[in-house]
Amino acid sequence: QRRVGVVFQEPSLFPHLSVEGNLVYGRNRTTKNSQLIDIEHIIELLDLQDLRHRGVMNLSGGERQRVAIGRALMSSPSLLLLDEPLSALDHNARKALMDFLDSVFQELEIPAFYISHSTEEIARLADSLILMEAGRVTAFGDMYEVLGRVDSPLNAANEAFSVLDCEVQSHELPHLTTVRSKGGRVLHIPRLDNSSQRRLRLRIRARDVSLCLARPDNSSILNILEAEVVDISSAIDGGSRTVKLDISGDKLLARVSVYSSQKLKLAKGLSLFAQIKSAALIG
């Protein structure tokens, strides 16, 4: 009645129906006036052409979840609710399905609530972010603003991370892809599988960022960026503080031990260098 499309952790498809039959079931739950999405469009968007006549029991976990997403979309929802839809999948299936979800969100522009414990999925798919603990909201707002808080609840769990919007520049270096951040900084990440990809988000864990007062010479770390300290958490979690950095307008978090913070005399306005291992930059 409320036109909310739901995708659960378990696809919960009808085993007696084919892929197309499950999609049609979603469409049959709507009125003619609310049938806004064409089935052929959904089949193409979720790459179900070769699966449409197959029984759902003969599909992989990732394929079944794509059908479940398609069935929810076929009900022409005004809101889409996805409850940890990737948690039961292996790494490769999760990565592939994130690509499909990204396309769905971009093309169909249906508001979506996406529930997840995965920072990788949040970094890839979210625009706004609500953090919850024990049934209570602990932080909410624009994703970049919430993640950029030095007092974020993620810090206490050592899960603080930053997200950078980047544009792919080249694949010329051995096994590496060169990208440029929104603020104009060049970074090197492990070679992308999709060489045609032009834009991406990078997830950088705060614990993978180290700080130094002078640029190191002959370092194995490829990404060394000039930065300025803009905020430092007052709270100490696990013997560390969270430091917020400005890098040409982009915001980056670092987790630094209290001892190192005192040794470097970290303070707002201090100019220094942030080191990020290439392997720590997760697209």
Side-chain angles (χ1 to χ4, degrees), residues 263-278:
K263 185 178 179 181
L264 296 175
K265 297 181 180 179
L266 297 181
K268 294 181 182 180
L270 179 66
S271 296
L272 40 65
F273 292 87
Q275 300 184 102
I276 312 165
K277 287 186 177 181
S278 178

Side-chain angles (χ1 to χ4, degrees), residues 15-185:
H16 63 289
L17 297 177
S18 65
V19 167
E20 185 170 356
N22 273 273
L23 297 178
V24 170
Y25 179 88
R27 184 183 62 189
N28 290 344
R29 305 298 294 176
T30 67
T31 64
K32 288 185 178 181
N33 292 333
S34 64
Q35 291 178 7
L36 305 177
I37 302 178
D38 180 67
I39 188 171
E40 297 302 328
H41 186 196
I42 293 299
I43 288 174
E44 181 180 357
L45 184 62
L46 294 171
D47 195 21
L48 299 174
Q49 296 95 327
D50 296 335
L51 307 177
R52 66 188 302 165
H53 301 301
R54 192 182 298 182
V56 296
M57 302 306 292
N58 298 319
L59 303 180
S60 68
E63 290 170 340
R64 286 198 294 269
Q65 201 62 298
R66 276 153 53 197
V67 177
I69 293 168
R71 183 178 62 183
L73 292 172
M74 285 303 300
S75 66
S76 296
S78 56
L79 176 71
L80 193 61
L81 174 64
L82 302 99
D83 187 3
E84 299 200 70
L86 310 185
S87 60
L89 305 178
D90 61 34
H91 174 74
N92 291 334
R94 286 176 59 245
K95 189 175 183 301
L97 196 50
M98 268 196 286
D99 291 338
F100 284 111
L101 285 171
D102 198 13
S103 298
V104 167
F105 296 158
Q106 294 290 335
E107 185 166 336
L108 298 183
E109 298 183 342
I110 296 174
F113 272 97
Y114 190 96
I115 302 167
S116 178
H117 288 87
S118 168
T119 59
E120 181 182 5
E121 294 169 28
I122 292 168
R124 175 70 185 275
L125 299 171
D127 294 314
S128 299
L129 187 60
I130 302 171
L131 300 181
M132 299 188 69
E133 183 177 356
R136 294 175 177 266
V137 174
T138 57
F140 67 92
D142 175 81
M143 180 187 69
Y144 297 96
E145 191 272 330
V146 173
L147 295 179
R149 298 176 186 173
V150 295
D151 61 347
S152 168
L154 292 172
N155 293 330
N158 201 25
E159 291 293 334
F161 65 98
S162 307
V163 175
L164 298 184
D165 288 317
C166 295
E167 181 177 323
V168 175
Q169 297 291 294
S170 72
H171 307 280
E172 296 176 357
L173 297 179
H175 307 292
L176 295 171
T177 292
T178 301
V179 303
R180 186 181 297 275
S181 72
K182 194 174 181 179
R185 295 303 182 92

Side-chain angles (χ1 to χ4, degrees), residues 164-228:
L164 298 184
D165 288 317
C166 295
E167 181 177 323
V168 175
Q169 297 291 294
S170 72
H171 307 280
E172 296 176 357
L173 297 179
H175 307 292
L176 295 171
T177 292
T178 301
V179 303
R180 186 181 297 275
S181 72
K182 194 174 181 179
R185 295 303 182 92
V186 172
L187 300 102
H188 304 293
I189 63 174
R191 178 69 65 90
L192 295 175
D193 295 332
N194 183 2
S195 60
S196 64
Q197 188 173 356
R198 300 311 306 162
R199 294 188 177 278
L200 75 160
R201 288 176 171 180
L202 295 182
R203 173 174 59 103
I204 305 173
R205 293 177 292 230
R207 64 176 181 264
D208 292 326
V209 179
S210 62
L211 305 179
C212 51
L213 297 180
R215 180 183 289 275
D217 296 325
N218 303 318
S219 173
S220 64
I221 296 179
L222 297 177
N223 300 297
I224 303 174
L225 307 174
E226 295 181 24
E228 179 182 321

